[in-house]
Amino acid sequence: MSELKYKRVMLKISGEALAGDKGHGIDTDTVNEICERISIVHKMGAEIAIVVGGGNFWRGRSGKGMDRTTADHMGMLATVINSLGLQDALESRDIPVRVQTAIEMRQIAEPYVRRKAVRHLEKKRIVIFACGMGNPYFSTDTAAALRAAEIDAEIILMAKNVDGVYDSDPSKNVNAVKYDKLSYQEYLNKGLCALDLTAASFCKDNAIPTLVFGLNDPDNIIRAVKGEEIGTTIY
Ligand code: UDP
């Protein structure tokens, strides 16, 4: 336990991160690589909650001409597919896992109940929160922020395809500069986009730090929970 900086963490994994090089859907090798690292930090004693996105299948805002609420419901269902994929890969490593959904689907998973989620964490079960917050017009970044506050997570570990927060898009600008640390106020003033602004504003109001880091090296999950200096910390 002493090796870990954080006891209870909220790990946010973007849907894209599960797609690996395929860019779409689920790449089971990639999911296994990620879950192997999660199982290592779990065995080290961390209490881990996970929110996973759905962008590898669908994002509400991609539904051109569609009713936005319907398109967002589709996005939330995509997070359930990813959550079940993670659950399966973790359980195959003998890690106890519970998926809780913000929209009830009892045949598949538990409904979200905060007290039960906290109890699971105390019993060293990994809890995966699916369906985001259950409300359209929001993202899974905001869901991760809200659930982190509800379960008293010390930090949000935001695993992305990019290795931190940059002053401009590093895939388009070779001169983009990475921040090691910045405040939520600076982040909001600059209109940066590593996590969405609703989530950033919520984290600022509730004093929850976020570490944005790259999943290009899955070992970063272990480094992040140990508190090593990787990625960008927003405080
Ligand atoms: N979504 C939603 N409400 C939520 C969380 C997610 O409506 O509380 C929908 C929304 O359509 C979003 C999609 O689910 O585009 C997938 O989530 P997100 O875009 O955050 O996934 P990521 O980019 O992290 O893969």
Side-chain angles (χ1 to χ4, degrees), residues 12 14-15 53-55 58-60 72 75-76 132-140:
K12 161 74 210 293
S14 70
W58 180 263
R59 286 196 181 94
D72 280 337
M76 288 187 254
M133 299 193 293
N135 299 312
Y137 294 94
F138 286 97
S139 69
T140 50

Side-chain angles (χ1 to χ4, degrees), residues 29-56:
D29 290 342
T30 304
V31 171
N32 276 312
E33 281 185 2
I34 294 170
C35 288
E36 183 57 32
R37 277 39 174 224
I38 296 174
S39 74
I40 290 171
V41 281
H42 176 266
K43 284 183 186 125
M44 289 165 84
E47 294 176 3
I48 305 158
I50 300 174
V51 165
V52 62
N56 51 330

Side-chain angles (χ1 to χ4, degrees), residues 12-17 52-62 68-69 71-79 82 131-143 160 196:
K12 161 74 210 293
I13 304 173
S14 70
E16 272 175 5
V52 62
N56 51 330
F57 290 110
W58 180 263
R59 286 196 181 94
R61 61 177 183 275
S62 345
R68 176 64 193 263
T69 301
D72 280 337
H73 284 155
M74 291 164 64
M76 288 187 254
L77 292 175
T79 72
N82 287 333
C131 296
M133 299 193 293
N135 299 312
Y137 294 94
F138 286 97
S139 69
T140 50
D141 286 358
T142 309
K160 313 264 300 177
D196 72 56

Side-chain angles (χ1 to χ4, degrees), residues 40-194:
I40 290 171
V41 281
H42 176 266
K43 284 183 186 125
M44 289 165 84
E47 294 176 3
I48 305 158
I50 300 174
V51 165
V52 62
N56 51 330
F57 290 110
W58 180 263
R59 286 196 181 94
R61 61 177 183 275
S62 345
K64 297 265 174 331
M66 283 186 70
D67 171 61
R68 176 64 193 263
T69 301
T70 304
D72 280 337
H73 284 155
M74 291 164 64
M76 288 187 254
L77 292 175
T79 72
V80 180
I81 300 177
N82 287 333
S83 297
L84 296 180
L86 289 174
Q87 177 183 46
D88 182 81
L90 288 166
E91 284 182 343
S92 73
R93 290 169 170 77
D94 292 328
I95 307 283
V97 183
R98 297 293 184 274
V99 175
Q100 291 201 342
T101 57
I103 295 172
E104 280 197 27
M105 41 186 90
R106 287 175 183 264
Q107 286 81 355
I108 290 180
E110 293 180 1
Y112 172 63
V113 177
R114 178 185 159 261
R115 282 172 178 276
K116 263 186 118 172
V118 170
R119 191 77 189 115
H120 288 322
L121 291 168
E122 286 167 353
K123 290 192 160 182
K124 303 292 179 212
R125 296 174 186 137
I126 291 183
V127 184
I128 306 176
F129 297 113
C131 296
M133 299 193 293
N135 299 312
Y137 294 94
F138 286 97
S139 69
T140 50
D141 286 358
T142 309
L146 173 66
R147 296 290 184 247
E150 289 182 277
I151 61 163
D152 277 327
E154 289 152 83
I155 188 163
I156 300 169
L157 304 176
M158 190 148 301
K160 313 264 300 177
N161 283 351
V162 203
D163 65 348
V165 179
Y166 284 79
D167 63 350
S168 58
D169 186 346
S171 66
K172 294 182 185 145
N173 177 9
V174 285
N175 297 318
V177 178
K178 188 178 135 198
Y179 297 99
D180 291 331
K181 248 182 174 192
L182 81 168
S183 69
Y184 283 112
Q185 193 59 60
E186 289 171 285
Y187 183 92
L188 290 164
N189 290 347
K190 292 177 198 290
L192 300 172
C193 56

